Every structure is written in structure tokens, then in C-alpha cells.
């Protein structure tokens, strides 16, 4: 299983989004978002759903449970 922070960073870069753009979609400060990619914190279910919708991926893919 892929680490959440690593998967999040990979998806963000693949979709050509900045950390700032992603933080704005989540309505949070940039530094708080960065802790997700660093693996220090994990988002709430609501923020996970927002991320999955923003990046157009499933929650399972976002969480590293599947690679498709």
C-alpha cells in the first residue's frame, strides 16, 4: 500500500496543481496542506472526498488501496 502523503503529491503533480491551489480548494492554509504531503497529518473524511473530487480519482486510489 502506498503512503497517503506520497500518493497525494504524485496525484497533485500529475494534475499539474500547486500545493497552494490544492490548499485553497480545501479552504485551508498552505502549511496545513503541506503536512498532508509530508505524512505528518491526515485529512478528515470531508477533505478526503474534496480531494478525490478535485483530482477526479476514487477514495481507494487516493488512499493507496488500488493503483487504478
Amino acid at each position: 500500500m502506498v503512503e497517503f502523503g506520497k500518493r497525494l503529491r504524485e496525484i497533485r503533480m500529475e494534475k499539474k496543481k500547486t500545493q497552494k491551489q490544492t490548499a485553497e480548494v480545501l479552504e485551508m492554509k498552505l502549511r496545513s496542506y503541506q503536512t498532508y504531503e509530508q505524512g505528518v497529518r491526515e485529512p478528515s473524511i470531508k477533505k478526503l472526498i474534496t480531494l478525490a473530487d478535485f483530482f477526479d480519482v476514487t477514495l481507494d486510489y487516493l488512499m493507496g488501496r488500488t493503483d487504478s
Side-chain angles (χ1 to χ4, degrees):
M1 190 160 91
V2 177
E3 179 186 321
F4 171 73
K6 182 177 179 185
R7 174 63 54 100
L8 181 58
R9 183 174 190 277
E10 289 171 357
I11 294 168
R12 179 182 58 76
M13 294 182 75
E14 180 181 304
K15 300 289 183 171
K16 297 181 176 21
K17 301 294 183 186
T18 66
Q19 288 182 335
K20 184 176 180 185
Q21 289 171 316
T22 308
E24 287 172 355
V25 166
L26 295 173
E27 299 177 347
M28 64 190 311
K29 294 182 180 187
L30 173 60
R31 184 68 191 121
S32 294
Y33 171 76
Q34 289 170 333
T35 64
Y36 294 164
E37 287 194 11
Q38 294 167 352
V40 174
R41 291 181 47 213
E42 291 186 352
S44 66
I45 295 295
K46 182 178 177 181
K47 290 202 187 297
L48 283 172
I49 292 169
T50 301
L51 283 166
D53 289 345
F54 179 62
F55 291 126
D56 194 29
V57 297
T58 65
L59 286 172
D60 279 346
Y61 181 80
L62 185 63
M63 296 304 296
R65 294 181 52 158
T66 183
D67 287 330
S68 58

